[in-house]
Amino acid sequence: DSGVTQTPKHLITATGQRVTLRCSPRSGDLSVYWYQQSLDQGLQFLIQYYNGEERAKGNILERFSAQQFPDLHSELNLSSLELGDSALYFCASSGTSGIYNEQFFGPGTRLTVL
Amino acid sequence: AQSVTQLGSHVSVSEGALVLLRCNYSSSVPPYLFWYVQYPNQGLQLLLKYTSAATLVKGINGFEAEFKKSETSFHLTKPSAHMSDAAEYFCAVSFSDLYSSASKIIFGSGTRLSIRP
């Protein structure tokens, strides 16, 4: 158990809909990262937050947005969903935003768009 | 530009045999390198990391990796494979963006390791 929790575990929805994925980092970790894992794209970094502020952006679509709240939990919002958005979405956390820091991954949320 | 290449999307070895998973990186700044493992239906967990202290890095579960700057490689090895090693392995490079100074990480495409009885 990494100490990172993600809810829900599974999510099934229809195209065009909007969903919110939630992540609680390990106790004391200030950095939260979001990743998308799919068979064709592999593991893609989406976005990073550090202590409530956006720190780095990866391959995140404009239809997707995220935020980190004062209690350090984070939410990833996916809107106007398409079939291709079906994937595993991972959240990870680390103590700081340093490049040498290990990231602790949550168990993921499996999103299926029908 | 920074990048990570994992050679071989699937590697199969016999139980007790040597495991070798290849990773080459490209980085214009000193890299920090990681190996993560993902077991079925789980998130990734750190196996080991290179942060310039020592070129040979020992990790969990008997794995180790050697940083070779001249070859820009960070291959993962284990002398004797065990059935429980069957998983997906990801090499990653972490670096500071030159313009924003934000830390970034790039993962390789992953190598699925199968163990034959």
Side-chain angles (χ1 to χ4, degrees), chain A:
Chain A
D1 184 357
S2 66
V4 178
T5 59
Q6 290 187 247
T7 55
K9 202 167 185 176
H10 301 278
L11 199 48
I12 301 175
T13 187
T15 54
Q17 295 297 304
R18 173 189 166 95
V19 297
T20 297
L21 312 183
R22 183 189 168 100
C23 167
S24 292
R26 287 190 325 156
S27 177
D29 281 358
L30 299 177
S31 252
V32 168
Y33 309 77
W34 285 98
Y35 295 88
Q36 179 194 61
Q37 186 178 38
S38 61
L39 282 174
D40 53 344
Q41 301 267 15
L43 189 64
Q44 299 278 322
F45 165 67
L46 295 178
I47 196 164
Q48 178 202 356
Y49 278 82
Y50 177 74
N51 203 19
E53 292 191 5
E54 182 185 303
R55 198 63 195 261
K57 247 181 178 176
N59 302 323
I60 188 165
L61 299 171
E62 281 192 18
R63 299 184 286 109
F64 296 0
S65 65
Q67 53 185 327
Q68 187 179 26
F69 295 88
D71 67 352
L72 300 177
H73 91 271
S74 178
E75 292 180 355
L76 179 68
N77 301 296
L78 315 176
S79 61
S80 304
L81 285 167
E82 302 175 359
L83 295 177
D85 297 327
S86 295
L88 256 177
Y89 290 84
F90 287 107
C91 166
S93 74
S94 67
T96 70
S97 62
I99 62 174
Y100 45 82
N101 280 334
E102 169 187 0
Q103 293 185 24
F104 294 86
F105 282 75
T109 293
R110 183 172 292 281
L111 173 66
T112 303
V113 182
L114 301 174

Side-chain angles (χ1 to χ4, degrees), chain B residues 75-87:
Chain B
H75 301 331
L76 181 71
T77 60
K78 181 173 180 177
S80 176
H82 192 271
M83 296 298 290
S84 61
D85 294 327

